[in-house]
Amino acid sequence: MTFYDDIYPFYPLQRTSFIFSGCLLTVILVFLVLAASLLLILPGIRGKSRLFWMCRIIISLFIGGVIVALNFTSDWAEASMTTNATYKSFSNAVVNADIGLHVGLYGINVTLKGNPVVQFNETIDYNEMFSWHDTMEEEYEEALERGLPNPILYVAEKFTLSSPCGLIFQYRYSGRYASATLWTAFCCWLLANILFTMPVILYAGYMMMATAAFIFFSMASFSTIMNAPQCVFCIGTDSFEINYSHSFWLALATGLLCAVIGILVSTLDFLMPERMKEAFSVGVDTYEDEDVCYGEGYLNTIFLDGVTVLPLTSNVTAERT
């Protein structure tokens, strides 16, 4: 294959790489709408409890949003490097580019961005997704037919069934178990929020600790990818290895936050249960109806012939006893 005016003649034009995941954007928008809707009730809350309810709404929705969003992020683990590599097959053209591998629970993202972006009269800016749900071989063959750059094909080939590295088995099952435990953590978070509206604050604290536990289980499940055979990714004269990334550490921070909240709520409910019920506005018995101050009244004796009238104060006293 040869060049024709510095253009590769038999490859389709490169697609524009996506900037943001559609599923992740949907999750963020849903929780932002929920937060805005719930914060609208704050003006109707009086006193110091307004600040407490604002913090409660924001922290709770933050935890729920993070748990759901972590299922759709693609940066639980990642690796990157800058190197000179052959751009496409049947060509001796070498480009300088940043190559990145981003591992999520449902697949991998392989990125390729040129330095500079425009080289050989072409924009080098790729972000390709390879999902575990579909057959990896089919997606790899489709990538070959589309004529993707060599660095992307090289990284994707490492995760096929025919690869001697065997990375797909460990990564796919680790991602599935991590996702399942995250959805279980989300269910525990929902139960905790329901229990916070009932006079069982102690069990709400227990469910927050259960939420933290399942988040930690998901991290432990994903961490098993480090037990897989360490396959070295060599592109050009450089190589890289996969390490934990933002989503993994965000999961750790969220799990610790849930654990702290659960332990704090359980401890305070054990030490001062009535104050906790009052703070969460649940299970508080009020005697406002009994504390009504009755003033002097006048009775029309015309309608009370033959009726025995007891003093009003005696009736109130009898009801209280």
Side-chain angles (χ1 to χ4, degrees):
M1 182 177 294
T2 60
F3 290 116
Y4 182 78
D5 292 336
D6 293 329
I7 298 176
Y8 296 95
F10 302 118
Y11 290 117
L13 294 178
Q14 182 237 327
R15 302 179 304 171
T16 302
S17 60
F18 72 90
I19 300 175
F20 210 72
S21 171
C23 294
L24 187 58
L25 180 61
T26 302
V27 171
I28 294 175
L29 290 178
V30 167
F31 277 90
L32 284 178
V33 170
L34 283 175
S37 302
L38 293 175
L39 290 176
L40 288 177
I41 68 175
L42 289 180
I45 301 176
R46 299 178 180 178
K48 299 179 180 179
S49 59
R50 180 182 302 173
L51 180 61
F52 170 76
W53 276 90
M54 182 182 69
C55 295
R56 177 181 171 185
I57 291 172
I58 293 176
I59 293 175
S60 179
L61 289 179
F62 170 78
I63 293 173
V66 167
I67 292 174
V68 178
L70 286 175
N71 282 278
F72 303 102
T73 56
S74 59
D75 58 349
W76 278 74
E78 64 181 7
S80 61
M81 68 176 178
T82 301
T83 186
N84 296 317
T86 304
Y87 184 39
K88 288 188 176 181
S89 301
F90 307 105
S91 171
N92 295 325
V94 176
V95 297
N96 182 270
D98 297 324
I99 304 169
L101 170 62
H102 309 272
V103 181
L105 302 185
Y106 293 101
I108 59 172
N109 274 88
V110 185
T111 61
L112 178 69
K113 187 172 184 179
N115 294 315
V117 176
V118 178
Q119 299 183 45
F120 299 107
N121 201 26
E122 183 176 350
T123 301
I124 304 175
D125 190 7
Y126 291 82
N127 190 337
E128 298 297 328
M129 177 70 182
F130 298 90
S131 175
W132 307 139
H133 290 298
D134 301 325
T135 304
M136 194 67 181
E137 271 66 18
E138 294 179 359
E139 293 195 3
Y140 180 68
E141 291 177 1
E142 181 183 354
L144 287 172
E145 293 175 357
R146 288 165 47 205
L148 291 180
N150 278 352
I152 295 179
L153 296 176
Y154 171 80
V155 175
E157 190 271 336
K158 295 289 186 180
F159 291 88
T160 58
L161 295 175
S162 58
S163 174
C165 292
L167 294 178
I168 186 173
F169 300 104
Q170 188 66 40
Y171 277 69
R172 178 167 58 186
Y173 290 115
S174 296
R176 287 180 178 177
Y177 289 127
S179 178
T181 49
L182 275 179
W183 285 117
T184 307
F186 179 71
C187 294
C188 293
W189 171 80
L190 287 177
L191 288 175
N193 281 274
I194 294 173
L195 293 174
F196 273 126
T197 63
M198 301 179 181
V200 283
I201 306 299
L202 178 63
Y203 295 102
Y206 290 162
M207 292 309 300
M208 288 301 296
M209 288 189 283
T211 303
F214 280 108
I215 293 176
F216 293 146
F217 289 155
S218 69
M219 295 174 59
S221 176
F222 185 80
S223 297
T224 58
I225 64 172
M226 296 303 174
N227 297 329
Q230 293 298 318
C231 189
V232 180
F233 294 84
C234 295
I235 301 176
T237 58
D238 300 312
S239 62
F240 61 74
E241 294 182 357
I242 299 175
N243 296 307
Y244 297 123
S245 187
H246 307 89
S247 293
F248 184 87
W249 303 118
L250 180 60
L252 176 61
T254 306
L256 291 175
L257 177 60
C258 292
V260 170
I261 293 175
I263 295 172
L264 186 62
V265 168
S266 302
T267 304
L268 292 178
D269 186 77
F270 178 77
L271 297 176
M272 48 184 73
E274 296 302 326
R275 293 290 299 275
M276 289 293 292
K277 291 180 180 179
E278 182 181 354
F280 285 90
S281 303
V282 293
V284 180
D285 297 328
T286 59
Y287 299 94
E288 295 179 357
D289 295 337
E290 300 181 6
D291 294 337
V292 175
C293 180
Y294 295 95
E296 295 183 359
Y298 298 93
L299 301 176
N300 193 337
T301 56
I302 298 176
F303 301 100
L304 299 177
D305 293 338
V307 178
T308 303
V309 180
L310 296 176
L312 191 59
T313 56
S314 302
N315 292 335
V316 176
T317 305
E319 290 177 0
R320 291 187 177 182
T321 57

